[in-house]
């Protein structure tokens, strides 16, 4: 099978397409013929091997998992012992911890779910990592309820575009913050209010929100607290510090976790999990029309390196998807379904 292979850390040039044997599923696993896979920020970090603090867990000199990527959508072609509720021929989506940028991938049965009815595989692939992260930020960590006021920082990225929609589906009033070029896109996702961060400092507005979702930024914890109501919740989803090659943004996250027990406000560092239950929640929102993946672009397997470079630039709006099973994707795109034409495409020169 053809797959993207990475044998060392570095820039996008370390990704090479090569032939690899088709893996076999073990107990509790399934083999999936991959139609599409999506890229996420964690995949970029594993390509670069940054921050250095993560290397003891993922490989000191090279990644332990040579095939990158986690998100996928496709069709089950083999089922390992002990798998229930899934069968050969099922269309599924979710995550593959051993790599998804390949024609075939192994996924644990508890990290995939049946794909939303009528949704193209390119869109279904976009849901896995970022969709679950957004769901858990809104519901598990943020505890968002109907009528709550929610501020989404970084609303135009892969996680942010999902978070805006999921919070709105929960009945919240959503204020979204993004750059100028993404204002119309984010407003179209259902945000109650959109703030252009290039012209307006949200902290200078003197307003407070019940929940603040800090997605991929690196604002000081003190700044987040000033945006919260006295008993509000800030959810820290990652954090980028390009200048901190050793620890990345983990120092800020650790400080927030240590400070939270001393405050009336809640500072929650989100460590997202991958599970079929939350995938089911996402599927339900898609099928009721309350959640639509936003795709920045879709590329072929040979262009995956250029795509991850674009993601690393910070200019992607929504998700970047790699189409792998071209024949299968074409067949499904020619079909009909309630959501077949609702994928939001987001091509632009900037966020």
């Amino acid at each position: 099978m053809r797959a993207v292979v990475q044998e060392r850390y570095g820039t996008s040039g370390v990704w090479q397409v090569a032939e690899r044997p088709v893996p076999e599923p073990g107990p509790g696993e399934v083999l999936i013929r991959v139609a599409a896979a999506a890229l996420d920020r964690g995949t970029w970090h594993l390509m670069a091997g940054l921050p250095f603090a993560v290397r003891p867990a993922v490989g000191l000199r090279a990644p332990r998992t040579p095939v990158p990527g986690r998100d996928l959508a496709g069709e089950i072609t083999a089922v390992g012992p002990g798998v229930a509720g899934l069968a050969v021929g099922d269309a599924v989506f979710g995550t593959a911890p051993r790599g998804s940028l390949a024609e075939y991938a192994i996924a644990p049965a508890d990290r995939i779910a049946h794909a939303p009815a009528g949704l193209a595989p390119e869109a279904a692939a976009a849901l896995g990592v970022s969709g679950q992260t957004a769901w858990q930020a809104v519901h598990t960590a943020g505890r968002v309820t109907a009528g709550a006021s929610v501020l989404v920082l970084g609303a135009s990225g892969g996680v942010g575009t999902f978070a805006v929609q999921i919070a709105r589906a929960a009945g919240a009033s959503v204020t979204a913050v993004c750059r100028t070029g993404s204002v119309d896109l984010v407003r179209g996702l259902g945000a109650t209010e959109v703030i252009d961060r290039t012209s307006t400092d949200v902290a200078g507005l003197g307003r407070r929100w019940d929940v603040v979702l800090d997605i991929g930024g690196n604002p000081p914890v003190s700044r987040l607290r000033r945006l919260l109501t006295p008993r509000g919740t800030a959810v820290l989803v990652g954090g980028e510090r390009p200048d901190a090659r050793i620890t990345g943004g983990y120092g800020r996250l650790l400080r927030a976790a240590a400070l939270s027990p001393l405050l009336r406000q809640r500072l929650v560092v989100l460590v997202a999990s991958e599970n079929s239950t939350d995938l089911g929640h996402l599927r339900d929102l898609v099928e009721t029309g309350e959640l639509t993946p936003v795709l920045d672009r879709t590329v072929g397997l040979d262009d995956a390196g250029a795509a991850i470079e674009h993601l690393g630039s910070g200019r992607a709006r929504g998700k970047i998807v790699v189409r792998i099973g071209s024949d299968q994707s074409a067949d499904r795109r020619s079909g009909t379904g309630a959501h077949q034409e609702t994928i939001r495409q987001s091509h632009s020169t900037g966020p």
Side-chain angles (χ1 to χ4, degrees):
M1 69 174 185
R2 298 178 75 238
V4 173
V5 177
Q6 176 182 346
E7 297 180 344
R8 66 184 190 280
Y9 295 119
T11 59
S12 59
V14 302
W15 279 15
Q16 301 293 324
V17 177
E19 290 289 333
R20 290 183 61 84
V22 176
E24 295 184 4
E29 297 178 333
V30 300
L31 177 66
I32 298 171
R33 180 187 297 115
V34 182
L39 305 179
D40 66 276
R41 194 71 187 181
T43 297
W44 181 90
H45 281 289
L46 289 175
M47 176 194 72
L50 296 174
F52 291 122
V54 305
R55 291 199 183 186
V58 299
L60 291 176
R61 297 184 179 275
R64 294 194 183 102
T65 302
V67 176
R70 297 182 78 83
D71 289 325
L72 54 68
E75 181 180 306
I76 294 177
T77 60
V79 175
V83 174
L86 297 168
V88 171
D90 286 352
V92 294
F93 75 115
T95 57
R98 288 155 58 183
S100 64
L101 289 170
E103 292 178 325
Y104 290 87
I106 294 291
D110 60 1
R111 297 196 187 189
I112 60 172
H114 291 104
L119 191 67
E122 293 86 351
L127 288 164
V129 171
S130 295
Q132 289 183 92
T133 300
W135 173 271
Q136 292 163 26
V138 171
H139 289 286
T140 309
R143 302 175 185 173
V144 172
T145 56
S149 58
V150 177
L151 177 67
V152 181
L153 305 176
S156 63
V159 176
T161 52
F162 286 128
V164 169
Q165 297 177 78
I166 293 169
R168 283 292 291 160
S173 172
V174 179
T175 301
V177 180
C178 60
R179 292 181 181 177
T180 305
S182 299
V183 168
D184 290 341
L185 168 69
V186 174
R187 184 177 291 116
L189 299 177
T192 311
E193 178 185 10
V194 182
I195 296 175
D196 181 355
R197 73 177 182 86
T198 59
S199 60
T200 302
D201 180 5
V202 67
L205 298 176
R207 296 166 54 186
R208 292 174 179 257
W209 286 264
D210 297 319
V211 178
V212 174
L213 305 181
D214 173 32
I215 300 174
N218 196 46
V221 172
S222 58
R223 178 182 173 91
L224 293 177
R225 291 189 60 203
R226 288 196 297 271
L227 297 171
L228 288 174
T229 57
R231 294 188 178 275
T233 296
V235 181
L236 288 74
V237 184
E240 297 296 323
R241 279 283 309 275
D243 58 320
R245 295 171 62 84
I246 296 177
T247 61
Y250 290 118
R252 182 184 72 118
L253 302 181
L254 292 174
R255 289 191 296 272
L259 182 61
S260 185
L262 308 177
L263 306 172
R264 290 190 300 167
Q265 296 168 326
R266 296 174 64 239
L267 305 176
V268 183
V269 176
L270 178 65
V271 179
S273 64
E274 300 169 2
N275 61 86
S276 57
T277 299
D278 287 346
L279 291 172
H281 293 315
L282 296 173
R283 180 184 61 232
D284 292 343
L285 288 179
V286 170
E287 292 183 344
T288 57
E290 296 175 283
L291 183 65
T292 301
V294 175
L295 304 188
D296 179 272
R297 61 190 60 189
T298 301
V299 303
L301 190 64
D302 292 315
D303 295 320
I308 195 69
E309 187 173 335
H310 175 62
L311 184 149
S313 73
R315 304 185 71 83
R317 304 195 310 170
K319 296 289 292 184
I320 299 173
V321 174
V322 179
R323 184 184 296 117
I324 297 174
S326 56
D327 292 341
Q328 180 177 339
S329 296
D331 290 344
R332 291 194 181 172
R333 287 197 306 278
S334 66
T336 59
H339 309 285
Q340 189 70 34
E341 298 180 358
T342 62
I343 305 170
R344 289 188 174 93
Q345 294 287 344
S346 173
H347 298 284
S348 77
T349 56

